[in-house]
């Protein structure tokens, strides 16, 4: 058993949330609001949010980008951890979902750090690259449509500076990555990217079994 991550019971998860995470009132309220939606499972967990805040602070990140904002929880917690002059470009296609987040971004006092771009993320990333933004970002978080994951990864790798960090979410895909019966496109895309990243000499990597699986890739 020693090679395994502890299996978390509901009581342990509650304990982690109570003792291991300093969540702001606005972040807690946004998480509760999102929990009412049928797609609530798309929201990152509070301990993952806390980890991302720690990474932002440890790396001193100022220029950040996320692909897939949903109702804005990850954007909120990242923006909270950024310095006063820090920025997050948040990419999503849903006005309906991001509108939920915008309300809480204002409540948290971080709305001015978040630049929401409502467009297909590939267009936003390509527009940034076309205006000379390659190598200017410190942190990128990929958490959107899975069949485009490889494209998002490649664009993110261009956009972050050497030493910059890329987070890739849902890399365990509910366990589907090790289920041979799962042959759908999303699962195949995640498996393919995981295999590619494992051997990608452009980055240092670790796959963390937190939430639905989070790979951290540091650009060399
Ligand atoms: Ca996710």
């Amino acid at each position: 058993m020693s090679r395994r991550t502890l299996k978390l019971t509901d009581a342990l998860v509650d304990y982690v949330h109570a003792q291991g995470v300093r969540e702001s009132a606005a972040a807690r309220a946004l998480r509760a609001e999102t929990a009412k939606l049928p797609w609530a499972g798309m929201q990152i967990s509070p301990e993952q949010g806390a980890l991302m805040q720690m990474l932002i602070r440890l790396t001193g990140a100022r220029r950040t980008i996320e692909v897939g904002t949903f109702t804005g929880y990850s954007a909120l917690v990242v923006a909270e951890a950024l310095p006063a002059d820090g920025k997050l470009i948040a990419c999503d296609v849903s006005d309906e979902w991001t509108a939920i987040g915008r309300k809480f971004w204002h409540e948290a006092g971080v709305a001015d750090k978040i630049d929401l771009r409502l467009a297909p993320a590939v267009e936003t990333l390509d527009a940034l690259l076309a205006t000379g933004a390659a190598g200017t970002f410190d942190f990128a978080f990929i958490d959107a449509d899975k069949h485009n994951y490889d494209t998002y990864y490649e664009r993110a790798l261009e956009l972050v500076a050497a030493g910059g960090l890329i987070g890739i979410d849902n890399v365990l895909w509910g366990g589907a990555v090790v289920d041979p019966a799962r042959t759908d496109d999303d699962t195949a895309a995640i498996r393919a990217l995981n295999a590619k990243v494992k051997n990608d000499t452009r980055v240092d990597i670790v796959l963390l079994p937190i939430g639905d699986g989070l790979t951290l890739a540091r650009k060399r």
Side-chain angles (χ1 to χ4, degrees):
M1 286 300 284
S2 61
R3 71 189 178 95
R4 295 203 175 169
T5 298
L6 178 67
K7 187 173 167 70
L8 294 183
T9 60
D10 288 349
L12 272 172
V13 170
D14 289 344
Y15 184 84
V16 168
H17 292 177
Q19 300 301 320
V21 176
R22 295 180 185 168
E23 195 177 34
S24 69
R28 195 177 313 115
L30 172 53
R31 193 156 57 81
E33 186 72 23
T34 304
K36 299 174 189 164
L37 298 176
W39 307 277
M42 282 170 56
Q43 177 167 246
I44 65 165
S45 64
E47 67 272 29
Q48 184 173 335
L51 171 67
M52 286 167 57
Q53 289 187 319
M54 184 64 83
L55 292 170
I56 294 292
R57 291 181 171 122
L58 277 172
T59 59
R62 298 158 72 98
R63 279 177 57 81
T64 66
I65 188 162
E66 78 172 9
V67 179
T69 295
F70 185 44
T71 61
Y73 184 85
S74 53
L76 192 156
V77 298
V78 164
E80 285 178 331
L82 286 172
D85 64 345
K87 285 283 177 221
L88 169 70
I89 294 178
C91 305
D92 206 285
V93 290
S94 173
D95 186 39
E96 183 190 348
W97 288 347
T98 55
I100 297 170
R102 282 201 296 269
K103 179 178 155 221
F104 293 92
W105 299 343
H106 280 102
E107 203 173 302
V110 298
D112 58 335
K113 294 184 193 173
I114 302 173
D115 176 359
L116 176 65
R117 308 275 178 99
L118 285 175
V122 176
E123 287 177 16
T124 300
L125 301 175
D126 282 345
L128 286 167
L129 289 167
T131 54
T136 65
F137 284 83
D138 307 303
F139 178 74
F141 181 53
I142 299 171
D143 188 15
D145 51 309
K146 309 311 173 198
H147 72 275
N148 272 322
Y149 255 34
D150 187 71
T151 304
Y152 298 145
Y153 173 68
E154 288 297 333
R155 299 298 194 280
L157 207 45
E158 283 187 72
L159 285 166
V160 300
L165 194 63
I166 301 171
I168 310 169
D169 200 37
N170 301 106
V171 294
L172 297 179
W173 205 223
V177 287
V178 293
D179 180 354
R182 288 292 297 272
T183 57
D184 57 280
D185 290 348
D186 287 347
T187 304
I190 289 169
R191 281 192 195 117
L193 183 60
N194 286 345
K196 171 176 160 172
V197 167
K198 167 74 195 300
N199 294 307
D200 190 341
T201 57
R202 298 173 295 177
V203 292
D204 300 305
I205 62 136
V206 60
L207 191 169
L208 297 172
I210 185 173
D212 192 29
L214 171 68
T215 289
L216 298 178
R218 176 188 172 276
K219 185 175 174 180
R220 288 176 167 169

PDB file of all heavy atoms in Angstrom, residues 67-68 91-93 117 119-130 144-145 147-153 155 159:
ATOM      1  N   VAL A  67      -7.187  28.485 -20.043  1.00  0.00           N
ATOM      2  CA  VAL A  67      -7.995  28.041 -21.176  1.00  0.00           C
ATOM      3  C   VAL A  67      -9.137  27.220 -20.595  1.00  0.00           C
ATOM      4  O   VAL A  67      -8.930  26.111 -20.117  1.00  0.00           O
ATOM      5  CB  VAL A  67      -7.141  27.191 -22.146  1.00  0.00           C
ATOM      6  CG1 VAL A  67      -7.989  26.713 -23.318  1.00  0.00           C
ATOM      7  CG2 VAL A  67      -5.942  27.986 -22.629  1.00  0.00           C
ATOM      8  N   GLY A  68     -10.324  27.795 -20.570  1.00  0.00           N
ATOM      9  CA  GLY A  68     -11.476  27.137 -19.954  1.00  0.00           C
ATOM     10  C   GLY A  68     -11.758  27.738 -18.593  1.00  0.00           C
ATOM     11  O   GLY A  68     -11.132  27.392 -17.593  1.00  0.00           O
ATOM     12  N   CYS A  91      -9.875  32.537 -20.940  1.00  0.00           N
ATOM     13  CA  CYS A  91     -10.466  32.186 -22.231  1.00  0.00           C
ATOM     14  C   CYS A  91     -11.661  31.245 -22.042  1.00  0.00           C
ATOM     15  O   CYS A  91     -11.523  30.193 -21.414  1.00  0.00           O
ATOM     16  CB  CYS A  91      -9.450  31.464 -23.114  1.00  0.00           C
ATOM     17  SG  CYS A  91      -7.911  32.347 -23.368  1.00  0.00           S
ATOM     18  N   ASP A  92     -12.794  31.621 -22.588  1.00  0.00           N
ATOM     19  CA  ASP A  92     -13.959  30.737 -22.561  1.00  0.00           C
ATOM     20  C   ASP A  92     -14.917  31.172 -23.672  1.00  0.00           C
ATOM     21  O   ASP A  92     -14.796  32.267 -24.210  1.00  0.00           O
ATOM     22  CB  ASP A  92     -14.662  30.785 -21.195  1.00  0.00           C
ATOM     23  CG  ASP A  92     -15.423  29.491 -20.892  1.00  0.00           C
ATOM     24  OD1 ASP A  92     -16.503  29.272 -21.473  1.00  0.00           O
ATOM     25  OD2 ASP A  92     -14.910  28.678 -20.104  1.00  0.00           O
ATOM     26  N   VAL A  93     -15.857  30.303 -24.002  1.00  0.00           N
ATOM     27  CA  VAL A  93     -16.846  30.641 -25.027  1.00  0.00           C
ATOM     28  C   VAL A  93     -18.221  30.909 -24.427  1.00  0.00           C
ATOM     29  O   VAL A  93     -19.130  31.342 -25.131  1.00  0.00           O
ATOM     30  CB  VAL A  93     -16.977  29.514 -26.092  1.00  0.00           C
ATOM     31  CG1 VAL A  93     -15.729  29.444 -26.957  1.00  0.00           C
ATOM     32  CG2 VAL A  93     -17.268  28.166 -25.454  1.00  0.00           C
ATOM     33  N   ARG A 117     -11.760  36.798 -22.208  1.00  0.00           N
ATOM     34  CA  ARG A 117     -11.859  36.803 -23.673  1.00  0.00           C
ATOM     35  C   ARG A 117     -12.876  35.748 -24.095  1.00  0.00           C
ATOM     36  O   ARG A 117     -12.584  34.538 -24.044  1.00  0.00           O
ATOM     37  CB  ARG A 117     -10.503  36.489 -24.306  1.00  0.00           C
ATOM     38  CG  ARG A 117      -9.346  37.350 -23.800  1.00  0.00           C
ATOM     39  CD  ARG A 117      -9.228  38.660 -24.540  1.00  0.00           C
ATOM     40  NE  ARG A 117      -8.147  39.475 -24.003  1.00  0.00           N
ATOM     41  CZ  ARG A 117      -6.914  39.572 -24.538  1.00  0.00           C
ATOM     42  NH1 ARG A 117      -6.615  38.880 -25.620  1.00  0.00           N
ATOM     43  NH2 ARG A 117      -5.993  40.353 -23.997  1.00  0.00           N
ATOM     44  N   ALA A 119     -14.262  33.880 -26.702  1.00  0.00           N
ATOM     45  CA  ALA A 119     -14.000  33.441 -28.078  1.00  0.00           C
ATOM     46  C   ALA A 119     -13.423  32.039 -27.988  1.00  0.00           C
ATOM     47  O   ALA A 119     -12.964  31.631 -26.913  1.00  0.00           O
ATOM     48  CB  ALA A 119     -12.993  34.377 -28.741  1.00  0.00           C
ATOM     49  N   PRO A 120     -13.440  31.303 -29.096  1.00  0.00           N
ATOM     50  CA  PRO A 120     -12.735  30.018 -29.056  1.00  0.00           C
ATOM     51  C   PRO A 120     -11.279  30.259 -28.621  1.00  0.00           C
ATOM     52  O   PRO A 120     -10.617  31.166 -29.138  1.00  0.00           O
ATOM     53  CB  PRO A 120     -12.812  29.523 -30.505  1.00  0.00           C
ATOM     54  CG  PRO A 120     -14.064  30.165 -31.036  1.00  0.00           C
ATOM     55  CD  PRO A 120     -14.103  31.530 -30.384  1.00  0.00           C
ATOM     56  N   ALA A 121     -10.810  29.477 -27.643  1.00  0.00           N
ATOM     57  CA  ALA A 121      -9.511  29.753 -27.027  1.00  0.00           C
ATOM     58  C   ALA A 121      -8.363  29.734 -28.033  1.00  0.00           C
ATOM     59  O   ALA A 121      -7.420  30.511 -27.908  1.00  0.00           O
ATOM     60  CB  ALA A 121      -9.247  28.747 -25.909  1.00  0.00           C
ATOM     61  N   VAL A 122      -8.438  28.866 -29.040  1.00  0.00           N
ATOM     62  CA  VAL A 122      -7.349  28.808 -30.024  1.00  0.00           C
ATOM     63  C   VAL A 122      -7.199  30.166 -30.714  1.00  0.00           C
ATOM     64  O   VAL A 122      -6.079  30.635 -30.952  1.00  0.00           O
ATOM     65  CB  VAL A 122      -7.585  27.686 -31.063  1.00  0.00           C
ATOM     66  CG1 VAL A 122      -6.494  27.706 -32.126  1.00  0.00           C
ATOM     67  CG2 VAL A 122      -7.612  26.322 -30.379  1.00  0.00           C
ATOM     68  N   GLU A 123      -8.332  30.839 -30.977  1.00  0.00           N
ATOM     69  CA  GLU A 123      -8.273  32.162 -31.609  1.00  0.00           C
ATOM     70  C   GLU A 123      -7.583  33.172 -30.684  1.00  0.00           C
ATOM     71  O   GLU A 123      -6.751  33.970 -31.114  1.00  0.00           O
ATOM     72  CB  GLU A 123      -9.689  32.667 -31.929  1.00  0.00           C
ATOM     73  CG  GLU A 123     -10.341  31.949 -33.082  1.00  0.00           C
ATOM     74  CD  GLU A 123     -11.769  32.431 -33.329  1.00  0.00           C
ATOM     75  OE1 GLU A 123     -12.141  33.504 -32.816  1.00  0.00           O
ATOM     76  OE2 GLU A 123     -12.509  31.711 -34.023  1.00  0.00           O
ATOM     77  N   THR A 124      -7.931  33.122 -29.411  1.00  0.00           N
ATOM     78  CA  THR A 124      -7.326  34.048 -28.441  1.00  0.00           C
ATOM     79  C   THR A 124      -5.826  33.787 -28.311  1.00  0.00           C
ATOM     80  O   THR A 124      -5.015  34.717 -28.314  1.00  0.00           O
ATOM     81  CB  THR A 124      -8.013  33.904 -27.069  1.00  0.00           C
ATOM     82  OG1 THR A 124      -9.406  34.200 -27.227  1.00  0.00           O
ATOM     83  CG2 THR A 124      -7.412  34.844 -26.044  1.00  0.00           C
ATOM     84  N   LEU A 125      -5.451  32.504 -28.216  1.00  0.00           N
ATOM     85  CA  LEU A 125      -4.031  32.158 -28.064  1.00  0.00           C
ATOM     86  C   LEU A 125      -3.250  32.549 -29.311  1.00  0.00           C
ATOM     87  O   LEU A 125      -2.147  33.113 -29.221  1.00  0.00           O
ATOM     88  CB  LEU A 125      -3.882  30.657 -27.794  1.00  0.00           C
ATOM     89  CG  LEU A 125      -4.602  30.122 -26.537  1.00  0.00           C
ATOM     90  CD1 LEU A 125      -4.472  28.602 -26.454  1.00  0.00           C
ATOM     91  CD2 LEU A 125      -4.063  30.767 -25.268  1.00  0.00           C
ATOM     92  N   ASP A 126      -3.822  32.287 -30.486  1.00  0.00           N
ATOM     93  CA  ASP A 126      -3.137  32.650 -31.738  1.00  0.00           C
ATOM     94  C   ASP A 126      -3.010  34.162 -31.884  1.00  0.00           C
ATOM     95  O   ASP A 126      -1.995  34.663 -32.381  1.00  0.00           O
ATOM     96  CB  ASP A 126      -3.868  32.045 -32.937  1.00  0.00           C
ATOM     97  CG  ASP A 126      -3.564  30.564 -33.109  1.00  0.00           C
ATOM     98  OD1 ASP A 126      -2.589  30.077 -32.486  1.00  0.00           O
ATOM     99  OD2 ASP A 126      -4.301  29.878 -33.852  1.00  0.00           O
ATOM    100  N   ALA A 127      -4.039  34.888 -31.439  1.00  0.00           N
ATOM    101  CA  ALA A 127      -3.982  36.351 -31.506  1.00  0.00           C
ATOM    102  C   ALA A 127      -2.868  36.877 -30.594  1.00  0.00           C
ATOM    103  O   ALA A 127      -2.139  37.808 -30.952  1.00  0.00           O
ATOM    104  CB  ALA A 127      -5.321  36.961 -31.104  1.00  0.00           C
ATOM    105  N   LEU A 128      -2.709  36.278 -29.429  1.00  0.00           N
ATOM    106  CA  LEU A 128      -1.630  36.680 -28.516  1.00  0.00           C
ATOM    107  C   LEU A 128      -0.269  36.417 -29.156  1.00  0.00           C
ATOM    108  O   LEU A 128       0.625  37.276 -29.123  1.00  0.00           O
ATOM    109  CB  LEU A 128      -1.739  35.910 -27.194  1.00  0.00           C
ATOM    110  CG  LEU A 128      -2.858  36.355 -26.248  1.00  0.00           C
ATOM    111  CD1 LEU A 128      -3.059  35.321 -25.144  1.00  0.00           C
ATOM    112  CD2 LEU A 128      -2.546  37.729 -25.651  1.00  0.00           C
ATOM    113  N   LEU A 129      -0.132  35.237 -29.768  1.00  0.00           N
ATOM    114  CA  LEU A 129       1.145  34.905 -30.403  1.00  0.00           C
ATOM    115  C   LEU A 129       1.425  35.848 -31.566  1.00  0.00           C
ATOM    116  O   LEU A 129       2.571  36.276 -31.761  1.00  0.00           O
ATOM    117  CB  LEU A 129       1.125  33.440 -30.880  1.00  0.00           C
ATOM    118  CG  LEU A 129       1.185  32.402 -29.743  1.00  0.00           C
ATOM    119  CD1 LEU A 129       0.846  31.008 -30.266  1.00  0.00           C
ATOM    120  CD2 LEU A 129       2.566  32.404 -29.079  1.00  0.00           C
ATOM    121  N   ALA A 130       0.371  36.212 -32.297  1.00  0.00           N
ATOM    122  CA  ALA A 130       0.539  37.107 -33.459  1.00  0.00           C
ATOM    123  C   ALA A 130       0.964  38.503 -33.030  1.00  0.00           C
ATOM    124  O   ALA A 130       1.555  39.250 -33.820  1.00  0.00           O
ATOM    125  CB  ALA A 130      -0.766  37.173 -34.253  1.00  0.00           C
ATOM    126  N   ALA A 144     -10.112  22.937 -20.629  1.00  0.00           N
ATOM    127  CA  ALA A 144     -11.231  23.179 -21.543  1.00  0.00           C
ATOM    128  C   ALA A 144     -11.538  21.897 -22.320  1.00  0.00           C
ATOM    129  O   ALA A 144     -11.275  20.803 -21.821  1.00  0.00           O
ATOM    130  CB  ALA A 144     -10.889  24.334 -22.477  1.00  0.00           C
ATOM    131  N   ASP A 145     -12.123  22.040 -23.504  1.00  0.00           N
ATOM    132  CA  ASP A 145     -12.510  20.876 -24.318  1.00  0.00           C
ATOM    133  C   ASP A 145     -11.303  19.972 -24.576  1.00  0.00           C
ATOM    134  O   ASP A 145     -10.252  20.431 -25.007  1.00  0.00           O
ATOM    135  CB  ASP A 145     -13.168  21.322 -25.624  1.00  0.00           C
ATOM    136  CG  ASP A 145     -12.335  22.345 -26.368  1.00  0.00           C
ATOM    137  OD1 ASP A 145     -11.933  23.345 -25.739  1.00  0.00           O
ATOM    138  OD2 ASP A 145     -12.048  22.133 -27.544  1.00  0.00           O
ATOM    139  N   HIS A 147     -10.608  17.485 -26.676  1.00  0.00           N
ATOM    140  CA  HIS A 147     -10.070  17.111 -27.993  1.00  0.00           C
ATOM    141  C   HIS A 147      -9.093  18.153 -28.525  1.00  0.00           C
ATOM    142  O   HIS A 147      -8.315  17.872 -29.427  1.00  0.00           O
ATOM    143  CB  HIS A 147     -11.194  16.797 -29.003  1.00  0.00           C
ATOM    144  CG  HIS A 147     -11.942  17.993 -29.477  1.00  0.00           C
ATOM    145  ND1 HIS A 147     -13.006  18.521 -28.783  1.00  0.00           N
ATOM    146  CD2 HIS A 147     -11.770  18.786 -30.562  1.00  0.00           C
ATOM    147  CE1 HIS A 147     -13.457  19.579 -29.442  1.00  0.00           C
ATOM    148  NE2 HIS A 147     -12.724  19.760 -30.507  1.00  0.00           N
ATOM    149  N   ASN A 148      -9.104  19.343 -27.936  1.00  0.00           N
ATOM    150  CA  ASN A 148      -8.134  20.377 -28.335  1.00  0.00           C
ATOM    151  C   ASN A 148      -6.949  20.483 -27.375  1.00  0.00           C
ATOM    152  O   ASN A 148      -6.146  21.409 -27.484  1.00  0.00           O
ATOM    153  CB  ASN A 148      -8.814  21.750 -28.401  1.00  0.00           C
ATOM    154  CG  ASN A 148      -9.429  22.006 -29.760  1.00  0.00           C
ATOM    155  OD1 ASN A 148      -8.865  21.628 -30.789  1.00  0.00           O
ATOM    156  ND2 ASN A 148     -10.586  22.628 -29.767  1.00  0.00           N
ATOM    157  N   TYR A 149      -6.836  19.544 -26.446  1.00  0.00           N
ATOM    158  CA  TYR A 149      -5.798  19.657 -25.414  1.00  0.00           C
ATOM    159  C   TYR A 149      -4.389  19.781 -25.994  1.00  0.00           C
ATOM    160  O   TYR A 149      -3.579  20.557 -25.521  1.00  0.00           O
ATOM    161  CB  TYR A 149      -5.868  18.457 -24.461  1.00  0.00           C
ATOM    162  CG  TYR A 149      -6.475  18.790 -23.113  1.00  0.00           C
ATOM    163  CD1 TYR A 149      -7.487  19.742 -22.994  1.00  0.00           C
ATOM    164  CD2 TYR A 149      -6.034  18.170 -21.952  1.00  0.00           C
ATOM    165  CE1 TYR A 149      -8.041  20.048 -21.767  1.00  0.00           C
ATOM    166  CE2 TYR A 149      -6.582  18.475 -20.709  1.00  0.00           C
ATOM    167  CZ  TYR A 149      -7.577  19.420 -20.622  1.00  0.00           C
ATOM    168  OH  TYR A 149      -8.109  19.724 -19.393  1.00  0.00           O
ATOM    169  N   ASP A 150      -4.096  18.999 -27.018  1.00  0.00           N
ATOM    170  CA  ASP A 150      -2.747  19.061 -27.591  1.00  0.00           C
ATOM    171  C   ASP A 150      -2.463  20.443 -28.179  1.00  0.00           C
ATOM    172  O   ASP A 150      -1.372  20.995 -28.022  1.00  0.00           O
ATOM    173  CB  ASP A 150      -2.558  17.973 -28.656  1.00  0.00           C
ATOM    174  CG  ASP A 150      -1.122  17.921 -29.138  1.00  0.00           C
ATOM    175  OD1 ASP A 150      -0.264  17.478 -28.351  1.00  0.00           O
ATOM    176  OD2 ASP A 150      -0.841  18.366 -30.263  1.00  0.00           O
ATOM    177  N   THR A 151      -3.459  21.013 -28.848  1.00  0.00           N
ATOM    178  CA  THR A 151      -3.318  22.355 -29.420  1.00  0.00           C
ATOM    179  C   THR A 151      -3.097  23.383 -28.318  1.00  0.00           C
ATOM    180  O   THR A 151      -2.211  24.249 -28.421  1.00  0.00           O
ATOM    181  CB  THR A 151      -4.582  22.727 -30.222  1.00  0.00           C
ATOM    182  OG1 THR A 151      -4.792  21.719 -31.211  1.00  0.00           O
ATOM    183  CG2 THR A 151      -4.442  24.076 -30.895  1.00  0.00           C
ATOM    184  N   TYR A 152      -3.893  23.292 -27.257  1.00  0.00           N
ATOM    185  CA  TYR A 152      -3.732  24.231 -26.146  1.00  0.00           C
ATOM    186  C   TYR A 152      -2.345  24.093 -25.502  1.00  0.00           C
ATOM    187  O   TYR A 152      -1.707  25.084 -25.144  1.00  0.00           O
ATOM    188  CB  TYR A 152      -4.813  23.998 -25.084  1.00  0.00           C
ATOM    189  CG  TYR A 152      -6.228  24.207 -25.563  1.00  0.00           C
ATOM    190  CD1 TYR A 152      -7.271  23.423 -25.081  1.00  0.00           C
ATOM    191  CD2 TYR A 152      -6.530  25.195 -26.498  1.00  0.00           C
ATOM    192  CE1 TYR A 152      -8.572  23.610 -25.509  1.00  0.00           C
ATOM    193  CE2 TYR A 152      -7.831  25.387 -26.940  1.00  0.00           C
ATOM    194  CZ  TYR A 152      -8.852  24.592 -26.436  1.00  0.00           C
ATOM    195  OH  TYR A 152     -10.139  24.766 -26.866  1.00  0.00           O
ATOM    196  N   TYR A 153      -1.896  22.861 -25.360  1.00  0.00           N
ATOM    197  CA  TYR A 153      -0.582  22.611 -24.757  1.00  0.00           C
ATOM    198  C   TYR A 153       0.526  23.243 -25.602  1.00  0.00           C
ATOM    199  O   TYR A 153       1.415  23.929 -25.082  1.00  0.00           O
ATOM    200  CB  TYR A 153      -0.364  21.108 -24.605  1.00  0.00           C
ATOM    201  CG  TYR A 153       1.021  20.715 -24.148  1.00  0.00           C
ATOM    202  CD1 TYR A 153       1.472  21.025 -22.866  1.00  0.00           C
ATOM    203  CD2 TYR A 153       1.888  20.036 -25.003  1.00  0.00           C
ATOM    204  CE1 TYR A 153       2.735  20.665 -22.446  1.00  0.00           C
ATOM    205  CE2 TYR A 153       3.154  19.668 -24.591  1.00  0.00           C
ATOM    206  CZ  TYR A 153       3.583  19.991 -23.314  1.00  0.00           C
ATOM    207  OH  TYR A 153       4.840  19.633 -22.912  1.00  0.00           O
ATOM    208  N   ARG A 155       0.296  25.700 -27.787  1.00  0.00           N
ATOM    209  CA  ARG A 155       0.212  27.168 -27.737  1.00  0.00           C
ATOM    210  C   ARG A 155       0.737  27.684 -26.392  1.00  0.00           C
ATOM    211  O   ARG A 155       1.458  28.676 -26.323  1.00  0.00           O
ATOM    212  CB  ARG A 155      -1.222  27.657 -27.943  1.00  0.00           C
ATOM    213  CG  ARG A 155      -1.859  27.289 -29.274  1.00  0.00           C
ATOM    214  CD  ARG A 155      -1.133  27.879 -30.450  1.00  0.00           C
ATOM    215  NE  ARG A 155      -1.948  27.790 -31.658  1.00  0.00           N
ATOM    216  CZ  ARG A 155      -2.074  26.693 -32.406  1.00  0.00           C
ATOM    217  NH1 ARG A 155      -1.430  25.581 -32.076  1.00  0.00           N
ATOM    218  NH2 ARG A 155      -2.827  26.692 -33.491  1.00  0.00           N
ATOM    219  N   LEU A 159       3.670  30.344 -25.338  1.00  0.00           N
ATOM    220  CA  LEU A 159       3.352  31.593 -24.631  1.00  0.00           C
ATOM    221  C   LEU A 159       4.127  31.762 -23.325  1.00  0.00           C
ATOM    222  O   LEU A 159       4.405  32.888 -22.908  1.00  0.00           O
ATOM    223  CB  LEU A 159       1.841  31.679 -24.356  1.00  0.00           C
ATOM    224  CG  LEU A 159       0.994  32.007 -25.590  1.00  0.00           C
ATOM    225  CD1 LEU A 159      -0.488  31.734 -25.332  1.00  0.00           C
ATOM    226  CD2 LEU A 159       1.192  33.465 -26.019  1.00  0.00           C
TER     227      LEU A 159
END
